[in-house]
Amino acid sequence: MTMKSLFLAVTVAISLSLSSFTGPAMAFTGGVFQSCDSPEVLNYIQKRFVWTDRHLLKRGLAIDSITRTHRNRVKYGNEYWSIPRLYCHGTAHMNDGHKRTIWWLIEGGMGFAGLRDNLEFCIDGLDPFKVHGAWCRSVR
């Protein structure tokens, strides 16, 4: 395999893996998320869930609203490598009429290349690949 074809193969693999996690309009946008219930956080979760459902779950689901938002805990470290984390949960009102518990984690400065914040979320019963562990454990 030549160096040019190896570079092309790696580029395609990276592009495909990145596009599987984010939609074209939301690739590495991240944000600056101040609190669990800020409109930016809730809108980001709703838009990202629609993309995930359309491309992975394929159930026709959407989040109509997120209510009863609470902060579970906050982690700040004393070391320079520590990552500030804000753990949150709430109730997701789905378009199929069901209410589900939703968990999310905001990590400060953990967006692409350390820019902006990263937000990960998990909805009880809608993580068939156990991306966030059993029962959304990693974002609780």
Side-chain angles (χ1 to χ4, degrees):
M1 184 180 283
T2 68
M3 190 60 110
K4 184 177 179 179
S5 61
L6 178 64
F7 177 74
L8 181 60
V10 169
T11 304
V12 169
I14 289 172
S15 298
L16 288 175
S17 66
L18 294 178
S19 67
S20 68
F21 292 111
T22 58
M26 296 191 311
F28 302 122
T29 57
V32 179
F33 304 123
Q34 301 297 325
S35 66
C36 291
D37 60 351
S38 70
E40 295 84 14
V41 168
L42 303 180
N43 288 334
Y44 184 84
I45 291 172
Q46 287 177 291
K47 288 178 183 178
R48 198 160 138 205
F49 180 80
V50 167
W51 185 93
T52 302
D53 184 72
R54 186 178 303 138
H55 292 89
L56 297 174
L57 299 175
K58 299 181 181 183
R59 296 180 182 177
L61 293 175
I63 300 172
D64 287 336
S65 64
I66 300 172
T67 60
R68 302 184 64 203
T69 60
H70 298 284
R71 178 173 40 185
N72 294 352
R73 59 191 164 121
V74 179
K75 282 180 135 180
Y76 295 106
N78 296 331
E79 306 297 331
Y80 70 89
W81 63 79
S82 299
I83 300 166
R85 291 185 171 102
L86 179 63
Y87 294 85
C88 313
H89 75 279
T91 302
H93 300 266
M94 309 300 290
N95 65 344
D96 63 355
H98 288 93
K99 295 178 186 175
R100 300 179 189 270
T101 303
I102 183 170
W103 305 89
W104 63 97
L105 162 66
I106 301 169
E107 298 174 299
M110 293 305 294
F112 179 68
L115 303 174
R116 306 181 71 117
D117 297 338
N118 182 44
L119 191 148
E120 295 292 329
F121 68 92
C122 181
I123 300 175
D124 283 348
L126 295 179
D127 188 13
F129 306 115
K130 305 290 186 258
V131 172
H132 297 289
W135 301 282
C136 302
R137 183 169 291 152
S138 67
V139 293
R140 282 185 174 210

